[in-house]
Coordinates of all heavy atoms in Angstrom, one line a residue:
M1490 N 13.4 4.4 17.5 CA 12.5 3.8 16.5 C 13.0 3.8 15.1 O 12.4 3.4 14.2 CB 11.1 4.4 16.6 CG 10.3 4.0 17.7 SD 9.9 2.3 17.5 CE 8.3 2.2 18.2
D1491 N 14.2 4.5 14.9 CA 14.7 4.6 13.5 C 15.0 3.2 12.9 O 15.0 3.1 11.7 CB 16.0 5.4 13.5 CG 15.7 6.9 13.7 OD1 14.5 7.3 13.5 OD2 16.6 7.6 14.0
H1492 N 15.2 2.2 13.7 CA 15.6 0.9 13.2 C 14.4 -0.1 13.3 O 14.5 -1.3 13.1 CB 16.7 0.3 14.0 CG 18.0 1.2 13.9 ND1 18.7 1.3 12.7 CD2 18.6 1.9 14.8 CE1 19.7 2.1 12.9 NE2 19.7 2.5 14.2
S1493 N 13.2 0.4 13.5 CA 12.0 -0.4 13.6 C 11.7 -1.1 12.2 O 11.7 -0.4 11.2 CB 10.8 0.5 14.0 OG 9.6 -0.2 13.7
P1494 N 11.5 -2.4 12.2 CA 11.2 -3.0 11.0 C 9.9 -2.5 10.3 O 9.9 -2.4 9.1 CB 11.0 -4.5 11.4 CG 11.8 -4.6 12.6 CD 11.7 -3.3 13.3
L1495 N 9.0 -2.1 11.1 CA 7.7 -1.6 10.5 C 8.0 -0.2 9.8 O 7.4 0.1 8.8 CB 6.6 -1.5 11.5 CG 6.1 -2.8 12.1 CD1 5.1 -2.5 13.2 CD2 5.6 -3.7 11.1
R1496 N 8.8 0.6 10.4 CA 9.1 1.9 9.9 C 9.9 1.7 8.6 O 9.6 2.3 7.6 CB 9.9 2.7 10.9 CG 10.3 4.1 10.4 CD 11.0 4.9 11.5 NE 11.1 6.3 11.2 CZ 12.0 6.8 10.3 NH1 12.9 6.0 9.7 NH2 12.1 8.1 10.1
R1497 N 10.9 0.8 8.6 CA 11.7 0.5 7.4 C 10.8 -0.1 6.3 O 10.9 0.2 5.1 CB 12.8 -0.5 7.7 CG 13.9 0.2 8.5 CD 15.2 -0.6 8.7 NE 15.1 -2.0 8.9 CZ 15.2 -3.0 7.9 NH1 15.2 -2.7 6.7 NH2 15.2 -4.3 8.2
A1498 N 9.8 -0.9 6.7 CA 8.9 -1.5 5.7 C 8.1 -0.4 5.0 O 7.9 -0.4 3.8 CB 8.0 -2.6 6.3
A1499 N 7.5 0.5 5.9 CA 6.7 1.6 5.3 C 7.5 2.5 4.4 O 7.1 2.8 3.3 CB 6.1 2.4 6.5
L1500 N 8.7 2.9 4.8 CA 9.6 3.7 4.0 C 10.0 3.0 2.7 O 10.0 3.7 1.6 CB 10.8 4.2 4.8 CG 10.5 5.1 5.9 CD1 11.8 5.4 6.7 CD2 9.9 6.4 5.4
A1501 N 10.3 1.8 2.7 CA 10.7 1.0 1.5 C 9.5 0.9 0.6 O 9.7 1.1 -0.6 CB 11.2 -0.3 1.9
A1502 N 8.3 0.6 1.1 CA 7.1 0.5 0.3 C 6.8 1.8 -0.4 O 6.5 1.9 -1.6 CB 6.0 0.0 1.1
L1503 N 6.8 2.9 0.4 CA 6.5 4.2 -0.2 C 7.5 4.6 -1.2 O 7.2 5.2 -2.3 CB 6.4 5.2 0.9 CG 5.3 5.1 1.9 CD1 5.4 6.0 3.0 CD2 4.0 5.2 1.1
Q1504 N 8.8 4.3 -1.0 CA 9.8 4.6 -2.0 C 9.6 3.9 -3.3 O 9.7 4.4 -4.4 CB 11.2 4.3 -1.4 CG 12.3 4.7 -2.4 CD 12.4 6.2 -2.6 OE1 12.4 7.0 -1.7 NE2 12.3 6.6 -3.9
H1505 N 9.2 2.6 -3.1 CA 8.9 1.8 -4.3 C 7.8 2.4 -5.1 O 7.9 2.5 -6.3 CB 8.6 0.3 -4.0 CG 8.2 -0.5 -5.1 ND1 9.1 -0.9 -6.1 CD2 7.0 -0.9 -5.5 CE1 8.4 -1.6 -7.0 NE2 7.1 -1.6 -6.7
L1506 N 6.7 2.8 -4.4 CA 5.6 3.3 -5.1 C 5.9 4.7 -5.8 O 5.5 5.0 -6.9 CB 4.4 3.5 -4.2 CG 3.8 2.2 -3.7 CD1 2.7 2.4 -2.7 CD2 3.3 1.3 -4.8
Q1507 N 6.7 5.5 -5.1 CA 7.1 6.8 -5.7 C 8.0 6.5 -6.9 O 7.9 7.2 -7.9 CB 7.9 7.6 -4.7 CG 6.9 8.3 -3.7 CD 7.7 9.3 -2.8 OE1 8.7 9.0 -2.2 NE2 7.1 10.5 -2.7
D1508 N 8.8 5.5 -6.9 CA 9.7 5.1 -8.1 C 8.8 4.7 -9.2 O 9.2 4.8 -10.4 CB 10.6 4.0 -7.7 CG 11.7 4.5 -6.8 OD1 11.9 5.7 -6.6 OD2 12.4 3.6 -6.2
Q1509 N 7.6 4.2 -8.9 CA 6.6 3.8 -10.0 C 5.7 5.0 -10.3 O 4.7 4.8 -11.0 CB 5.8 2.6 -9.5 CG 6.6 1.4 -9.1 CD 7.5 0.9 -10.2 OE1 7.1 0.8 -11.4 NE2 8.8 0.7 -9.9
D1510 N 6.0 6.2 -9.9 CA 5.2 7.4 -10.2 C 3.8 7.4 -9.6 O 2.9 7.9 -10.2 CB 5.2 7.7 -11.7 CG 6.5 8.1 -12.2 OD1 7.3 8.7 -11.5 OD2 6.8 7.7 -13.4
V1511 N 3.6 6.7 -8.5 CA 2.3 6.6 -7.8 C 2.2 7.9 -6.9 O 3.1 8.2 -6.2 CB 2.2 5.4 -6.9 CG1 1.0 5.4 -6.1 CG2 2.2 4.1 -7.8
D1512 N 1.1 8.6 -7.0 CA 0.8 9.8 -6.2 C 0.5 9.3 -4.8 O -0.4 8.4 -4.6 CB -0.3 10.5 -6.8 CG -0.6 11.8 -6.1 OD1 0.0 12.1 -5.0 OD2 -1.5 12.6 -6.6
L1513 N 1.2 9.9 -3.8 CA 0.9 9.5 -2.4 C -0.5 9.8 -2.0 O -1.0 9.2 -1.0 CB 1.9 10.1 -1.5 CG 3.3 9.6 -1.6 CD1 4.2 10.3 -0.5 CD2 3.4 8.1 -1.4
S1514 N -1.2 10.6 -2.7 CA -2.7 10.8 -2.4 C -3.5 9.6 -2.7 O -4.6 9.4 -2.1 CB -3.2 12.0 -3.2 OG -2.6 13.2 -2.9
D1515 N -3.0 8.7 -3.5 CA -3.7 7.5 -3.9 C -3.3 6.3 -3.0 O -3.7 5.2 -3.2 CB -3.4 7.1 -5.3 CG -3.9 8.1 -6.3 OD1 -4.9 8.8 -5.9 OD2 -3.4 8.2 -7.4
V1516 N -2.5 6.5 -2.0 CA -1.9 5.4 -1.2 C -2.6 5.3 0.2 O -2.7 6.4 0.9 CB -0.4 5.5 -1.0 CG1 0.2 4.4 -0.1 CG2 0.3 5.5 -2.4
E1517 N -2.9 4.1 0.6 CA -3.4 3.9 2.0 C -2.3 3.0 2.6 O -2.1 1.9 2.2 CB -4.7 3.2 2.0 CG -5.3 3.0 3.4 CD -6.7 2.4 3.4 OE1 -7.6 3.1 2.9 OE2 -6.8 1.3 3.9
L1518 N -1.7 3.5 3.7 CA -0.6 2.8 4.3 C -1.1 2.2 5.6 O -1.4 3.0 6.6 CB 0.6 3.7 4.6 CG 1.8 3.2 5.4 CD1 2.5 2.1 4.5 CD2 2.7 4.3 5.7
S1519 N -1.3 0.9 5.7 CA -1.8 0.3 6.9 C -3.0 0.9 7.5 O -3.1 1.1 8.7 CB -0.7 0.2 7.9 OG -1.0 -0.7 9.0
G1520 N -3.9 1.3 6.6 CA -5.2 1.9 7.1 C -5.2 3.4 7.2 O -6.2 4.0 7.5
Y1521 N -4.1 4.1 6.9 CA -4.0 5.5 7.1 C -3.7 6.2 5.7 O -3.0 5.7 4.9 CB -2.8 5.9 8.0 CG -3.1 5.4 9.4 CD1 -2.5 4.2 9.9 CD2 -3.9 6.1 10.3 CE1 -2.8 3.8 11.2 CE2 -4.2 5.7 11.6 CZ -3.6 4.5 12.0 OH -3.9 4.0 13.3
R1522 N -4.3 7.4 5.5 CA -4.1 8.2 4.3 C -3.2 9.3 4.7 O -3.2 9.9 5.8 CB -5.4 8.7 3.8 CG -6.4 7.6 3.4 CD -6.0 6.8 2.3 NE -5.8 7.5 1.0 CZ -6.7 7.8 0.1 NH1 -8.0 7.5 0.3 NH2 -6.4 8.5 -1.0
F1523 N -2.4 9.8 3.7 CA -1.4 10.9 4.0 C -2.1 12.2 3.8 O -2.9 12.4 2.9 CB -0.2 10.8 3.0 CG 0.6 9.6 3.2 CD1 0.4 8.4 2.4 CD2 1.5 9.5 4.2 CE1 1.2 7.3 2.7 CE2 2.3 8.4 4.5 CZ 2.1 7.3 3.7
P1524 N -1.7 13.2 4.6 CA -2.2 14.6 4.4 C -1.5 15.3 3.3 O -0.8 16.3 3.5 CB -2.0 15.2 5.8 CG -0.8 14.5 6.3 CD -0.8 13.1 5.8
T1525 N -1.7 14.8 2.1 CA -1.0 15.4 0.9 C -1.7 16.8 0.6 O -2.8 17.0 1.0 CB -1.1 14.5 -0.3 OG1 -2.4 14.2 -0.6 CG2 -0.4 13.2 0.0
P1526 N -1.0 17.6 -0.2 CA -1.6 18.9 -0.6 C -3.0 18.8 -1.3 O -3.9 19.5 -1.0 CB -0.6 19.5 -1.5 CG 0.7 18.9 -1.1 CD 0.4 17.5 -0.7
S1527 N -3.2 17.8 -2.1 CA -4.5 17.6 -2.8 C -5.5 17.2 -1.8 O -6.7 17.6 -1.9 CB -4.4 16.6 -4.0 OG -4.1 15.3 -3.5
R1528 N -5.2 16.3 -0.8 CA -6.2 15.9 0.2 C -6.5 17.1 1.1 O -7.7 17.3 1.5 CB -5.7 14.7 1.0 CG -5.6 13.5 0.1 CD -5.2 12.3 0.9 NE -6.1 12.0 2.0 CZ -7.3 11.4 2.0 NH1 -7.8 11.1 0.8 NH2 -8.1 11.2 3.0
R1529 N -5.5 17.9 1.4 CA -5.8 19.1 2.2 C -6.7 20.1 1.5 O -7.4 20.9 2.1 CB -4.5 19.8 2.6 CG -3.7 19.0 3.6 CD -2.5 19.8 4.0 NE -1.6 19.0 4.9 CZ -0.3 19.0 4.9 NH1 0.3 19.9 4.1 NH2 0.4 18.2 5.7
A1530 N -6.6 20.1 0.2 CA -7.4 21.0 -0.6 C -8.8 20.5 -0.8 O -9.6 21.1 -1.5 CB -6.7 21.2 -2.0
G1531 N -9.1 19.3 -0.3 CA -10.5 18.8 -0.3 C -10.7 17.7 -1.3 O -11.8 17.3 -1.5
H1532 N -9.7 17.3 -2.1 CA -9.8 16.2 -3.0 C -9.7 14.9 -2.3 O -8.6 14.5 -2.0 CB -8.8 16.3 -4.1 CG -8.8 17.6 -4.8 ND1 -9.8 17.9 -5.8 CD2 -8.0 18.7 -4.8 CE1 -9.6 19.1 -6.2 NE2 -8.5 19.7 -5.6
L1533 N -10.8 14.2 -2.0 CA -10.8 13.0 -1.2 C -11.1 11.8 -2.0 O -12.1 11.1 -1.7 CB -11.7 13.2 0.0 CG -11.5 14.4 0.9 CD1 -12.5 14.5 2.0 CD2 -10.1 14.3 1.5
E1534 N -10.3 11.5 -3.0 CA -10.6 10.3 -3.8 C -10.3 9.1 -3.0 O -9.5 9.1 -2.1 CB -9.7 10.4 -5.1 CG -10.0 11.5 -6.1 CD -9.2 12.7 -5.7 OE1 -8.2 12.7 -5.0 OE2 -9.6 13.8 -6.2
E1535 N -10.8 8.0 -3.5 CA -10.6 6.7 -2.8 C -9.1 6.3 -3.1 O -8.5 6.6 -4.1 CB -11.5 5.6 -3.3 CG -13.0 5.9 -2.9 CD -13.2 5.8 -1.4 OE1 -12.6 4.9 -0.8 OE2 -13.9 6.6 -0.9
A1536 N -8.6 5.4 -2.2 CA -7.2 4.9 -2.4 C -7.2 4.0 -3.7 O -8.2 3.4 -4.0 CB -6.8 4.1 -1.2
R1537 N -6.1 4.0 -4.4 CA -5.8 3.2 -5.5 C -4.7 2.2 -5.2 O -4.6 1.2 -5.9 CB -5.3 4.1 -6.7 CG -6.2 5.2 -7.1 CD -7.4 4.9 -7.9 NE -7.1 4.0 -9.0 CZ -8.0 3.1 -9.5 NH1 -9.2 3.1 -8.9 NH2 -7.7 2.3 -10.5
W1538 N -3.9 2.4 -4.2 CA -2.9 1.5 -3.8 C -3.0 1.3 -2.3 O -3.3 2.2 -1.5 CB -1.5 2.2 -4.1 CG -1.1 2.0 -5.5 CD1 -1.3 2.9 -6.5 CD2 -0.4 0.9 -6.1 NE1 -0.8 2.4 -7.7 CE2 -0.2 1.2 -7.4 CE3 0.1 -0.3 -5.6 CZ2 0.4 0.4 -8.3 CZ3 0.8 -1.1 -6.4 CH2 0.9 -0.8 -7.7
W1539 N -2.7 0.1 -1.8 CA -2.7 -0.2 -0.4 C -1.4 -0.9 0.0 O -0.8 -1.7 -0.8 CB -3.8 -1.2 -0.1 CG -5.2 -0.6 -0.3 CD1 -5.9 -0.1 0.7 CD2 -5.9 -0.4 -1.5 NE1 -7.1 0.5 0.2 CE2 -7.1 0.2 -1.2 CE3 -5.7 -0.7 -2.8 CZ2 -8.1 0.6 -2.1 CZ3 -6.6 -0.4 -3.8 CH2 -7.8 0.2 -3.4
V1540 N -0.8 -0.5 1.1 CA 0.4 -1.1 1.7 C 0.0 -1.6 3.0 O -0.6 -1.0 3.9 CB 1.5 0.0 1.8 CG1 2.7 -0.6 2.4 CG2 1.8 0.6 0.4
S1541 N 0.4 -2.9 3.2 CA 0.2 -3.5 4.5 C 1.3 -4.4 4.9 O 2.2 -4.7 4.1 CB -1.1 -4.3 4.4 OG -1.5 -4.8 5.7
W1542 N 1.3 -4.9 6.1 CA 2.4 -5.9 6.5 C 1.7 -6.9 7.5 O 0.7 -6.6 8.0 CB 3.6 -5.2 7.1 CG 3.2 -4.1 8.0 CD1 2.7 -4.1 9.3 CD2 3.3 -2.7 7.7 NE1 2.5 -2.9 9.8 CE2 2.9 -2.0 8.9 CE3 3.7 -2.0 6.6 CZ2 2.9 -0.6 8.9 CZ3 3.7 -0.6 6.7 CH2 3.3 0.1 7.8
K1543 N 2.4 -8.0 7.6 CA 2.0 -9.1 8.5 C 0.6 -9.6 8.1 O -0.1 -10.1 9.0 CB 2.0 -8.6 9.9 CG 3.4 -8.3 10.5 CD 3.3 -7.9 11.9 CE 4.6 -7.5 12.5 NZ 4.5 -7.2 13.9
W1544 N 0.2 -9.4 6.9 CA -1.1 -9.9 6.4 C -2.3 -9.3 7.0 O -3.3 -9.9 7.1 CB -1.1 -11.5 6.4 CG -0.1 -12.1 5.5 CD1 1.0 -12.7 5.8 CD2 -0.2 -12.1 4.0 NE1 1.7 -13.1 4.7 CE2 1.0 -12.8 3.6 CE3 -1.1 -11.6 3.1 CZ2 1.3 -12.9 2.2 CZ3 -0.8 -11.7 1.8 CH2 0.4 -12.4 1.3
H1545 N -2.1 -8.1 7.6 CA -3.3 -7.4 8.2 C -4.2 -7.1 7.0 O -3.8 -6.6 6.0 CB -2.9 -6.2 8.9 CG -2.1 -6.4 10.2 ND1 -1.5 -5.5 10.9 CD2 -1.9 -7.6 10.9 CE1 -0.9 -6.0 11.9 NE2 -1.2 -7.2 11.9
Q1546 N -5.5 -7.4 7.2 CA -6.5 -7.0 6.2 C -6.4 -7.8 4.9 O -6.8 -7.3 3.9 CB -6.6 -5.5 6.0 CG -6.8 -4.7 7.3 CD -8.2 -5.0 7.9 OE1 -9.1 -5.3 7.2 NE2 -8.2 -5.0 9.2
Y1547 N -5.7 -8.9 4.9 CA -5.4 -9.6 3.6 C -6.7 -10.0 2.9 O -6.8 -10.1 1.7 CB -4.5 -10.8 3.8 CG -5.2 -12.0 4.5 CD1 -5.9 -13.0 3.8 CD2 -5.3 -12.0 5.9 CE1 -6.5 -14.0 4.4 CE2 -5.9 -13.0 6.5 CZ -6.5 -14.0 5.8 OH -7.1 -15.1 6.5
R1548 N -7.8 -10.2 3.6 CA -9.1 -10.5 3.0 C -9.6 -9.4 2.1 O -10.5 -9.6 1.3 CB -10.1 -10.9 4.1 CG -9.7 -12.2 4.8 CD -10.7 -12.6 5.8 NE -10.3 -13.9 6.4 CZ -10.8 -14.3 7.5 NH1 -11.7 -13.6 8.2 NH2 -10.4 -15.5 8.0
S1549 N -9.1 -8.2 2.3 CA -9.6 -7.1 1.5 C -8.9 -7.0 0.1 O -9.3 -6.3 -0.7 CB -9.2 -5.8 2.2 OG -9.9 -5.7 3.4
I1550 N -7.9 -7.8 -0.1 CA -7.1 -7.7 -1.3 C -8.0 -7.9 -2.6 O -7.9 -7.0 -3.5 CB -5.9 -8.7 -1.4 CG1 -4.9 -8.3 -0.3 CG2 -5.3 -8.8 -2.7 CD1 -3.8 -9.3 -0.1
P1551 N -8.8 -8.9 -2.7 CA -9.6 -9.0 -3.9 C -10.5 -7.8 -4.1 O -10.7 -7.3 -5.3 CB -10.5 -10.2 -3.7 CG -9.7 -11.0 -2.7 CD -9.0 -10.0 -1.8
Y1552 N -11.1 -7.2 -3.1 CA -12.0 -6.1 -3.2 C -11.2 -4.8 -3.6 O -11.7 -4.0 -4.4 CB -12.8 -5.9 -1.9 CG -13.5 -7.1 -1.5 CD1 -13.0 -7.9 -0.5 CD2 -14.7 -7.5 -2.2 CE1 -13.7 -9.1 -0.1 CE2 -15.3 -8.7 -1.8 CZ -14.8 -9.5 -0.8 OH -15.5 -10.6 -0.5
C1553 N -10.1 -4.6 -3.0 CA -9.3 -3.5 -3.3 C -8.8 -3.5 -4.8 O -8.8 -2.5 -5.5 CB -8.1 -3.4 -2.4 SG -8.6 -3.0 -0.7
L1554 N -8.4 -4.7 -5.2 CA -7.9 -4.8 -6.6 C -9.0 -4.7 -7.6 O -8.7 -4.4 -8.8 CB -7.1 -6.1 -6.8 CG -5.8 -6.3 -6.0 CD1 -5.2 -7.6 -6.3 CD2 -4.9 -5.1 -6.3
A1555 N -10.2 -4.9 -7.2 CA -11.3 -4.8 -8.2 C -11.4 -3.3 -8.7 O -11.8 -3.1 -9.8 CB -12.6 -5.2 -7.5
D1556 N -11.1 -2.4 -7.8 CA -11.3 -1.0 -8.1 C -9.9 -0.2 -8.1 O -9.9 1.0 -8.4 CB -12.3 -0.3 -7.2 CG -13.7 -0.8 -7.4 OD1 -14.0 -1.1 -8.5 OD2 -14.4 -0.9 -6.4
G1557 N -8.9 -0.9 -7.6 CA -7.6 -0.1 -7.4 C -6.5 -0.6 -8.4 O -6.7 -1.4 -9.3
D1558 N -5.3 -0.1 -8.1 CA -4.2 -0.4 -8.9 C -3.2 -1.4 -8.4 O -2.5 -2.0 -9.1 CB -3.4 0.9 -9.2 CG -4.2 1.9 -10.0 OD1 -5.0 1.4 -10.9 OD2 -4.0 3.1 -9.9
G1559 N -3.2 -1.6 -7.0 CA -2.3 -2.6 -6.5 C -2.3 -2.6 -5.0 O -2.8 -1.8 -4.3
W1560 N -1.7 -3.7 -4.5 CA -1.6 -4.0 -3.1 C -0.1 -4.4 -2.8 O 0.3 -5.4 -3.5 CB -2.5 -5.0 -2.6 CG -2.5 -5.4 -1.2 CD1 -1.5 -6.1 -0.5 CD2 -3.5 -5.1 -0.2 NE1 -1.9 -6.2 0.8 CE2 -3.1 -5.7 1.0 CE3 -4.8 -4.5 -0.3 CZ2 -3.9 -5.6 2.2 CZ3 -5.6 -4.4 0.8 CH2 -5.1 -5.0 2.1
L1561 N 0.6 -3.8 -2.0 CA 2.0 -4.2 -1.6 C 2.0 -4.7 -0.2 O 1.7 -4.0 0.7 CB 2.9 -2.9 -1.8 CG 4.4 -3.2 -1.6 CD1 4.9 -4.2 -2.6 CD2 5.1 -1.9 -1.7
E1562 N 2.3 -6.0 -0.1 CA 2.3 -6.6 1.2 C 3.7 -7.0 1.6 O 4.4 -7.7 1.0 CB 1.5 -7.9 1.1 CG 1.4 -8.7 2.4 CD 0.5 -8.1 3.4 OE1 -0.5 -7.4 3.1 OE2 0.9 -8.2 4.6
V1563 N 4.1 -6.3 2.7 CA 5.4 -6.7 3.3 C 5.2 -7.9 4.2 O 4.5 -7.8 5.2 CB 6.1 -5.5 4.0 CG1 7.4 -5.9 4.6 CG2 6.2 -4.3 3.1
V1564 N 5.7 -9.0 3.8 CA 5.2 -10.3 4.4 C 5.6 -10.4 5.9 O 4.7 -10.6 6.7 CB 5.8 -11.5 3.6 CG1 5.4 -12.8 4.2 CG2 5.4 -11.4 2.2
A1565 N 6.8 -10.2 6.2 CA 7.2 -10.3 7.6 C 8.3 -9.3 7.9 O 9.5 -9.7 7.7 CB 7.7 -11.7 8.0
P1566 N 8.0 -8.1 8.2 CA 9.0 -7.1 8.4 C 10.0 -7.4 9.5 O 9.6 -7.4 10.6 CB 8.3 -5.8 8.6 CG 6.9 -6.1 8.7 CD 6.7 -7.6 8.5
T1567 N 11.2 -7.8 9.1 CA 12.3 -8.1 10.1 C 13.5 -7.3 9.6 O 13.4 -6.3 8.9 CB 12.5 -9.6 10.2 OG1 12.9 -10.1 8.9 CG2 11.3 -10.3 10.7
R1568 N 14.6 -7.8 9.9 CA 15.9 -7.2 9.4 C 15.9 -7.1 7.9 O 16.3 -6.1 7.3 CB 17.1 -8.0 10.0 CG 18.4 -7.3 9.7 CD 19.4 -8.0 10.4 NE 20.3 -7.0 11.0 CZ 21.3 -7.2 11.8 NH1 21.6 -8.4 12.0 NH2 22.0 -6.2 12.2
S1569 N 15.5 -8.2 7.2 CA 15.4 -8.2 5.8 C 14.0 -8.1 5.4 O 13.1 -8.6 6.0 CB 16.1 -9.4 5.2 OG 15.4 -10.6 5.6
L1570 N 13.7 -7.3 4.3 CA 12.3 -7.1 3.9 C 12.0 -7.9 2.7 O 12.7 -7.9 1.7 CB 12.1 -5.6 3.7 CG 12.3 -4.7 4.8 CD1 12.2 -3.2 4.4 CD2 11.3 -5.0 5.9
H1571 N 10.9 -8.6 2.7 CA 10.3 -9.3 1.6 C 8.9 -8.9 1.3 O 8.1 -8.8 2.3 CB 10.4 -10.8 1.8 CG 11.8 -11.3 2.1 ND1 12.7 -11.5 1.1 CD2 12.4 -11.6 3.2 CE1 13.8 -11.9 1.6 NE2 13.7 -12.0 2.9
A1572 N 8.6 -8.6 0.1 CA 7.2 -8.1 -0.2 C 6.6 -8.8 -1.4 O 7.4 -9.3 -2.3 CB 7.3 -6.6 -0.4
L1573 N 5.3 -8.8 -1.4 CA 4.6 -9.3 -2.6 C 3.8 -8.1 -3.2 O 3.2 -7.3 -2.4 CB 3.6 -10.4 -2.2 CG 4.2 -11.6 -1.6 CD1 3.1 -12.5 -1.0 CD2 5.0 -12.4 -2.7
L1574 N 3.8 -8.0 -4.5 CA 3.0 -7.0 -5.1 C 1.9 -7.6 -5.9 O 2.1 -8.4 -6.7 CB 3.9 -6.2 -6.1 CG 3.2 -5.1 -6.9 CD1 2.7 -4.0 -6.0 CD2 4.2 -4.5 -7.9
F1575 N 0.7 -7.3 -5.5 CA -0.5 -7.8 -6.2 C -1.1 -6.7 -7.1 O -1.2 -5.5 -6.6 CB -1.6 -8.1 -5.1 CG -1.2 -9.2 -4.2 CD1 -0.6 -8.9 -3.0 CD2 -1.5 -10.5 -4.5 CE1 -0.3 -10.0 -2.1 CE2 -1.1 -11.6 -3.7 CZ -0.5 -11.3 -2.5
A1576 N -1.4 -7.0 -8.3 CA -1.9 -6.1 -9.2 C -3.1 -6.7 -10.0 O -3.1 -7.9 -10.1 CB -0.9 -5.6 -10.2
P1577 N -4.1 -5.9 -10.4 CA -5.2 -6.5 -11.1 C -4.8 -7.1 -12.4 O -3.9 -6.6 -13.1 CB -6.2 -5.4 -11.3 CG -5.5 -4.1 -10.8 CD -4.2 -4.5 -10.2
G1578 N -5.3 -8.3 -12.7 CA -5.0 -8.9 -14.0 C -6.0 -8.5 -15.1 O -6.8 -7.5 -14.9
P1579 N -5.9 -9.1 -16.2 CA -6.7 -8.7 -17.3 C -8.2 -9.0 -17.0 O -8.5 -10.0 -16.2 CB -6.2 -9.5 -18.5 CG -5.5 -10.7 -17.9 CD -5.0 -10.2 -16.6
A1580 N -9.1 -8.3 -17.6 CA -10.5 -8.6 -17.4 C -10.9 -9.9 -18.0 O -10.3 -10.3 -19.0 CB -11.3 -7.5 -18.1
P1581 N -11.8 -10.7 -17.4 CA -12.2 -12.0 -18.0 C -12.8 -11.8 -19.3 O -13.5 -10.8 -19.6 CB -13.2 -12.5 -17.0 CG -13.6 -11.4 -16.1 CD -12.5 -10.3 -16.2
A1582 N -12.6 -12.8 -20.2 CA -13.2 -12.8 -21.5 C -14.7 -12.9 -21.4 O -15.2 -13.6 -20.6 CB -12.6 -13.9 -22.4
Q1583 N -15.4 -12.1 -22.2 CA -16.9 -12.2 -22.3 C -17.3 -13.4 -23.1 O -16.8 -13.7 -24.1 CB -17.4 -11.0 -22.9 CG -17.1 -9.7 -22.2 CD -17.8 -9.7 -20.8 OE1 -18.9 -10.2 -20.6 NE2 -17.1 -9.1 -19.8
A1584 N -18.3 -14.1 -22.5 CA -18.8 -15.4 -23.2 C -19.7 -15.0 -24.3 O -20.3 -14.0 -24.5 CB -19.5 -16.2 -22.2

């Protein structure tokens, strides 16, 4: 399974988030949360980042971005990986 496109997609996405100084306690990877030291200690904050592939749960993107920091979608994990990064935009101007 070392060459699995899904495994490579997950590892690449996590590496990208770590390069952006994202705490893995804030990441939900395809519906799963990591057993990080802070989560083991009982700090169960909501996810701030979501990683998904093959457009699973894509309808959740607007709701996640309303309260979170971003969504990383690996579009079609194959031999080459292509991803889209969704981030919340500026707040709408008040009328």
Side-chain angles (χ1 to χ4, degrees):
M1490 281 291 216
D1491 287 342
H1492 301 291
S1493 163
L1495 295 179
R1496 183 177 192 278
R1497 289 189 322 90
L1500 291 174
L1503 293 174
Q1504 183 63 55
H1505 174 75
L1506 292 177
Q1507 282 187 313
D1508 290 346
Q1509 304 301 315
D1510 295 324
V1511 173
D1512 184 355
L1513 291 182
S1514 296
D1515 295 335
V1516 176
E1517 183 176 298
L1518 176 70
S1519 191
Y1521 296 98
R1522 301 294 302 274
F1523 294 100
T1525 59
S1527 66
R1528 290 184 59 75
R1529 287 184 189 147
H1532 303 286
L1533 302 177
E1534 295 89 15
E1535 293 295 318
R1537 306 280 316 149
W1538 281 90
W1539 292 264
V1540 177
S1541 187
W1542 41 76
K1543 297 183 181 180
W1544 294 109
H1545 291 169
Q1546 303 297 325
Y1547 72 93
R1548 292 182 178 159
S1549 300
I1550 294 173
Y1552 304 104
C1553 292
L1554 293 183
D1556 295 324
D1558 294 331
W1560 181 289
L1561 185 61
E1562 180 69 37
V1563 182
V1564 180
T1567 59
R1568 187 171 224 179
S1569 61
L1570 298 175
H1571 301 281
L1573 297 170
L1574 178 63
F1575 297 91
Q1583 297 296 326

